[in-house]
């Protein structure tokens, strides 16, 4: 495809309204899909194959001139919008200055500034250190390396419904076999799993659920072998599961009592997504190490491992790094994204999004909605058979399909494929958000 767009600074604002010029996907998207099939492996699969040309605020424009409502933000990445003015300007300026030197060869200030900002914002008291990488999985990989180096122990424990990435270590930590692990073994050794807290299904209070989890850690692994326990403060891919109150504080306390590091994987929950800088704050916990990515840099690839200085500095010189980690253009974007979150009140915007979503589904109740849950702009509906409470993946797929056809980008998730998730850009207008939610309700009624 050749699009000859003028430089971004010269673009007129993208109109913030839904518009369907063709059926979805349109003819140009179908052409591109055919070309995609010929050169891209089937393993890389688009959920809604409308090909993008522009995105901004709550709208994605496709190659056929359709304007779609964006309730996915590229999986919680473009929280500040997909072409946020401060980010665009920072990227253009930095790219003109230099695109890369490698921080391990010739360092630069932007990397240090991002580390300073993370030190200021992270829910970790005392001195911190931050190392930068490219993806969420790479951050998790490195958090595990640091935890092993600091503790001199090898075992790592994750939870049911966990998602931590697709590399060998991180898919081993991930719970769900299809599509993330199926056929890709052997997995990394010394990775263990315990039960988490899933209030809708286990009916347990947080302290009781934590006791069960801790019993597994103690009896099946042994506290003295554990380097780290890793958990998402709101489990993302697994179904937007918010643990019962008290679960995470109990786990973190047990970790502290046993010399086990607690890693908060805030790759999806971080950077204002849940209505706080980091979801750990809402749980009242302080991780030893925190991983971030996704919303960190306004759409540019960047990730971070932030931890207590003593822990992070346990690694020998040269033990951490990578060619591209903390790329200068991505760092400039991150500083601009952080400024945008602060200056434009996007933490409050995430809280408003939660209120609008809760209100919409309170007014449009449906007995097949087993639960409306989540935090901030990370909200979900779990769809069940009302008679049995069993997960209803077929209904979830049918609703997503109908909503897509209506021009709304909507994601699903959940170990059982029965969760609809809302991850809009925090800059979406209330009107577009309500319009998107109304399509979900319409699709539910029709299915
Ligand atoms: C997306 C995600 C990852 C993996 O991030 P990538 O950038 O896709 O490698 C890890 N942990 C959590 C919680 C995630 O949501």
């Amino acid at each position: 495809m050749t699009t000859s767009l003028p430089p971004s600074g010269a673009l007129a604002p993208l109109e913030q309204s839904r518009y369907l010029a063709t059926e979805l996907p349109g003819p140009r998207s179908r052409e591109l899909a055919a070309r995609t099939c010929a050169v891209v492996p089937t393993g890389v699969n688009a959920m809604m194959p409308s090909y993008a040309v522009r995105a901004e605020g709550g709208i994605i424009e496709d190659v056929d001139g359709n304007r779609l409502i964006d309730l996915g933000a590229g999986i919680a990445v473009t929280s500040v919008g997909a072409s946020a003015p401060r980010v665009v300007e920072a990227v253009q300026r930095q790219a003109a200055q230099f695109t890369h030197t490698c921080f391990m060869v010739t360092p630069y200030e932007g990397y240090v500034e991002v580390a300073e900002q993370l030190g200021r914002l992270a829910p970790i008291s005392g001195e911190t250190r931050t190392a930068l990488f490219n993806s969420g999985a790479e951050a998790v990989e490195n958090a595990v390396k640091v935890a092993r180096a600091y503790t001199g122990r090898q075992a790592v424990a994750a939870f049911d419904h966990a998602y931590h990435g697709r590399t060998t270590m991180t898919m081993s930590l991930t719970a769900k076999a299809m599509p993330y692990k199926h056929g890709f073994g052997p997995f990394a050794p010394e990775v263990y799993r315990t039960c988490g807290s899933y209030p809708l299904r286990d009916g347990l209070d947080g302290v009781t659920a934590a006791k069960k989890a801790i019993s597994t850690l103690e009896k099946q692994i042994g506290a003295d072998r554990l380097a780290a326990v890793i958990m998402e403060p709101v489990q993302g891919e697994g179904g937007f599961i918010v643990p019962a109150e008290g679960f995470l504080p109990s786990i973190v306390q047990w970790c502290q009592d046993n010399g086990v590091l607690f890693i908060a994987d805030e790759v999806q929950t971080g950077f204002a997504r849940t209505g706080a800088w980091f979801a750990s704050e809402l749980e009242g916990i302080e991780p030893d190490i925190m991983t971030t990515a996704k919303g960190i840099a306004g759409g540019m690839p960047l990730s971070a491992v932030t931890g207590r200085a003593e822990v992070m500095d346990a690694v020998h010189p040269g033990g951490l790094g990578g060619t591209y980690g903390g790329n200068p253009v991505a760092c400039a974007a991150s500083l601009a994204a952080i400024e945008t979150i602060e200056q434009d009140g996007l933490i409050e915007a995430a809280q408003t999004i939660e209120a609008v979503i809760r209100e919409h589904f309170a007014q449009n109740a449906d007995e097949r909605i087993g639960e409306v849950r989540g935090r901030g702009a990370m909200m979900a509906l779990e769809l069940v058979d009302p008679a049995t409470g069993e997960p209803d993946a077929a209904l979830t797929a049918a609703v997503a399909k109908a909503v897509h056809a209506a021009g709304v980008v909507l994601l699903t998730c959940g170990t059982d494929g029965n969760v609809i998730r809302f991850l809009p850009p925090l800059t979406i207008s209330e009107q577009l958000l309500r319009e998107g939610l109304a399509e979900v309700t319409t699709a539910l009624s029709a299915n």
Side-chain angles (χ1 to χ4, degrees):
M1 187 199 75
T2 50
T3 40
S4 47
L5 290 174
S8 163
L11 286 179
L14 179 56
E15 191 178 320
Q16 295 294 302
S17 66
R18 178 170 51 153
Y19 172 71
L20 293 188
T22 68
E23 82 275 55
L24 294 177
R28 297 212 56 207
S29 278
R30 291 201 302 271
E31 238 174 80
L32 280 162
R35 281 170 55 195
T36 303
C37 282
V39 290
V40 178
T42 47
V44 182
N45 186 25
M47 176 209 77
M48 185 182 170
S50 290
Y51 285 67
V53 285
R54 277 191 75 185
E56 182 178 316
I59 290 289
I60 299 175
E61 186 177 56
D62 79 4
V63 287
D64 293 289
N66 299 300
R67 289 197 302 271
L68 315 172
I69 297 177
D70 183 9
L71 298 186
I75 320 187
V77 169
T78 52
S79 299
V80 299
S83 49
R86 290 184 190 85
V87 173
V88 171
E89 204 269 325
V91 165
Q92 287 175 335
R93 183 166 23 87
Q94 181 57 47
Q97 283 171 349
F98 63 98
T99 56
H100 175 84
T101 55
C102 185
F103 192 73
M104 303 178 305
V105 177
T106 310
Y108 39 87
E109 189 174 359
Y111 188 118
V112 182
E113 280 185 79
V114 172
E116 287 168 349
Q117 291 296 335
L118 270 159
R120 176 174 71 89
L121 298 168
I124 301 174
S125 50
E127 264 192 60
T128 64
R129 302 282 185 266
T130 292
L132 300 179
F133 303 95
N134 302 289
S135 68
E138 202 185 355
V140 172
E141 290 271 350
N142 280 281
V144 170
K145 282 164 66 174
V146 169
R148 285 174 169 165
Y150 175 75
T151 58
R153 305 172 181 177
Q154 292 188 348
V156 184
F159 292 85
D160 286 340
H161 306 289
Y163 182 83
H164 298 291
R166 293 173 180 268
T167 58
T168 296
M169 168 50 82
T170 61
M171 78 171 162
S172 306
L173 291 166
T174 292
K176 194 174 175 179
M178 187 57 97
Y180 306 117
K181 306 168 82 162
H182 177 80
F184 299 148
F187 302 108
E190 290 304 312
V191 172
Y192 300 88
R193 190 170 313 286
T194 182
C195 49
S197 169
Y198 197 151
L200 176 69
R201 294 195 185 175
D202 63 28
L204 298 177
D205 67 83
V207 173
T208 308
K211 272 193 189 138
K212 268 187 79 182
I214 288 166
S215 164
T216 304
L217 299 176
E218 286 178 341
K219 294 184 183 130
Q220 296 182 26
I221 310 163
D224 58 344
R225 289 180 53 218
L226 264 173
V229 168
I230 182 167
M231 190 170 179
E232 307 148 80
V234 177
Q235 291 185 307
E237 191 58 37
F240 281 27
I241 306 159
V242 182
E245 197 185 326
F247 178 80
L248 273 168
S250 302
I251 296 289
V252 171
Q253 185 62 52
W254 179 84
C255 285
Q256 249 170 39
D257 295 344
N258 289 279
V260 178
L261 297 181
F262 181 79
I263 304 171
D265 183 353
E266 294 247 17
V267 166
Q268 190 160 166
T269 49
F271 285 94
R273 175 55 53 185
T274 57
W277 271 107
F278 300 100
S280 291
E281 297 162 36
L282 303 170
E283 294 285 345
I285 57 166
E286 223 182 279
D288 299 293
I289 301 176
M290 174 178 82
T291 53
T292 51
K294 291 198 165 96
I296 192 175
M300 296 297 286
L302 185 72
S303 67
V305 180
T306 302
R308 291 198 285 119
E310 178 201 353
V311 171
M312 297 294 289
D313 282 338
V315 177
H316 51 275
L320 301 174
T323 306
Y324 290 110
N327 169 274
V329 181
C331 285
S334 177
L335 296 170
I338 291 168
E339 190 187 331
T340 302
I341 291 168
E342 287 190 321
Q343 299 290 318
D344 294 358
L346 296 188
I347 289 176
E348 295 73 22
Q351 293 164 358
T352 302
I353 287 168
E354 171 171 351
V356 168
I357 293 173
R358 287 194 186 278
E359 183 208 282
H360 176 87
F361 290 104
Q363 286 174 358
N364 296 275
D366 185 307
E367 57 177 2
R368 296 165 299 172
I369 300 177
E371 191 171 41
V372 180
R373 63 170 176 252
R375 291 189 187 279
M378 183 173 179
M379 296 294 295
L381 308 178
E382 173 153 358
L383 300 184
V384 298
D385 177 336
T388 61
E390 285 299 303
D392 195 339
L395 174 64
T396 307
V399 168
K401 193 173 164 214
V403 171
H404 293 168
V408 180
V409 179
L410 181 77
L411 307 176
T412 60
C413 66
T415 302
D416 298 291
N418 69 320
V419 178
I420 286 178
R421 55 168 154 175
F422 302 107
L423 287 169
L426 307 181
T427 53
I428 194 171
S429 70
E430 186 172 329
Q431 191 208 322
L432 279 179
L433 174 61
R434 287 190 185 276
E435 209 176 311
L437 298 175
E439 287 298 343
V440 174
T441 295
T442 302
L444 265 172
S445 319
N447 278 278

Coordinates of all heavy atoms in Angstrom, one line a residue, residues 57 77-85 87 295 297-299 336-338 340-341 346 425-427:
G57 N -7.0 10.0 19.3 CA -8.1 10.0 20.2 C -8.8 8.7 20.2 O -8.2 7.6 20.4
V77 N -2.0 0.2 24.8 CA -0.7 0.9 24.5 C -0.9 2.4 24.3 O -0.2 3.2 25.0 CB 0.0 0.3 23.3 CG1 1.2 1.2 22.8 CG2 0.4 -1.1 23.6
T78 N -1.8 2.8 23.4 CA -2.0 4.2 23.1 C -2.9 4.9 24.1 O -3.9 5.5 23.7 CB -2.4 4.4 21.7 OG1 -3.6 3.6 21.5 CG2 -1.4 3.9 20.7
S79 N -2.6 4.9 25.4 CA -3.4 5.5 26.4 C -3.5 7.0 26.2 O -4.5 7.6 26.5 CB -2.8 5.2 27.8 OG -2.8 3.8 28.0
V80 N -2.5 7.6 25.7 CA -2.5 9.1 25.5 C -3.0 9.4 24.1 O -3.0 10.6 23.7 CB -1.1 9.7 25.7 CG1 -0.6 9.5 27.1 CG2 -0.1 9.1 24.6
G81 N -3.5 8.4 23.4 CA -3.9 8.6 22.0 C -2.8 8.1 21.1 O -1.6 8.0 21.5
A82 N -3.1 7.8 19.8 CA -2.2 7.1 18.9 C -1.3 8.1 18.1 O -0.4 7.7 17.5 CB -2.9 6.2 17.9
S83 N -1.6 9.4 18.3 CA -0.8 10.4 17.7 C -0.9 11.7 18.6 O -1.2 12.7 18.1 CB -1.2 10.7 16.2 OG -2.6 11.0 16.1
A84 N -0.6 11.4 19.8 CA -0.7 12.5 20.8 C 0.3 13.6 20.4 O 1.5 13.3 20.2 CB -0.4 12.0 22.2
P85 N -0.1 14.9 20.4 CA 0.8 16.0 19.9 C 2.1 16.0 20.5 O 3.1 16.1 19.9 CB 0.0 17.2 20.2 CG -1.5 16.8 20.2 CD -1.5 15.4 20.7
V87 N 3.8 13.6 21.9 CA 4.6 12.5 21.6 C 5.1 12.6 20.1 O 6.3 12.4 19.8 CB 3.7 11.2 21.7 CG1 4.5 10.0 21.2 CG2 3.4 11.0 23.2
G295 N 1.6 1.1 27.8 CA 1.3 2.5 27.8 C 2.5 3.4 28.1 O 2.3 4.6 28.3
A297 N 5.0 4.6 26.5 CA 5.7 5.6 25.5 C 4.8 5.9 24.4 O 5.3 6.2 23.3 CB 7.0 4.9 25.0
G298 N 3.5 6.1 24.6 CA 2.6 6.6 23.6 C 2.6 5.8 22.3 O 2.3 6.4 21.2
G299 N 2.9 4.5 22.3 CA 2.9 3.7 21.1 C 4.3 3.3 20.6 O 4.4 2.4 19.8
A336 N 7.3 12.4 26.8 CA 6.2 13.2 26.3 C 4.8 12.5 26.8 O 3.9 13.2 27.1 CB 6.2 13.3 24.8
A337 N 4.8 11.2 26.8 CA 3.6 10.5 27.3 C 3.3 10.8 28.8 O 2.2 11.1 29.2 CB 3.7 9.0 27.0
I338 N 4.4 10.7 29.5 CA 4.3 11.0 31.0 C 3.8 12.4 31.2 O 2.9 12.7 32.0 CB 5.6 10.7 31.7 CG1 5.9 9.2 31.7 CG2 5.6 11.3 33.1 CD1 7.4 8.9 32.1
T340 N 2.0 14.2 29.2 CA 0.6 14.2 28.7 C -0.3 13.7 29.8 O -1.4 14.3 30.0 CB 0.5 13.5 27.4 OG1 1.4 14.0 26.4 CG2 -0.9 13.5 26.9
I341 N 0.1 12.6 30.4 CA -0.8 12.0 31.4 C -1.0 13.0 32.6 O -2.1 13.2 33.0 CB -0.2 10.6 31.9 CG1 -0.2 9.6 30.9 CG2 -0.9 10.2 33.2 CD1 0.6 8.3 31.1
L346 N -5.1 12.5 32.7 CA -5.5 11.2 32.2 C -5.8 10.2 33.3 O -6.5 9.2 33.0 CB -4.5 10.7 31.1 CG -4.4 11.6 29.9 CD1 -3.6 11.0 28.8 CD2 -5.8 12.0 29.3
P425 N -8.4 4.3 24.5 CA -7.5 5.4 24.8 C -8.1 6.2 25.9 O -9.3 6.4 25.9 CB -7.3 6.1 23.5 CG -7.9 5.3 22.4 CD -8.9 4.3 23.1
L426 N -7.3 6.8 26.8 CA -7.8 7.6 27.9 C -8.3 8.9 27.4 O -9.0 9.6 28.1 CB -6.7 7.8 29.0 CG -6.1 6.5 29.5 CD1 -5.1 6.8 30.6 CD2 -7.1 5.5 30.0
T427 N -8.0 9.2 26.1 CA -8.4 10.5 25.5 C -9.7 10.3 24.7 O -10.1 11.3 24.0 CB -7.3 11.0 24.5 OG1 -7.0 9.9 23.6 CG2 -6.0 11.3 25.3

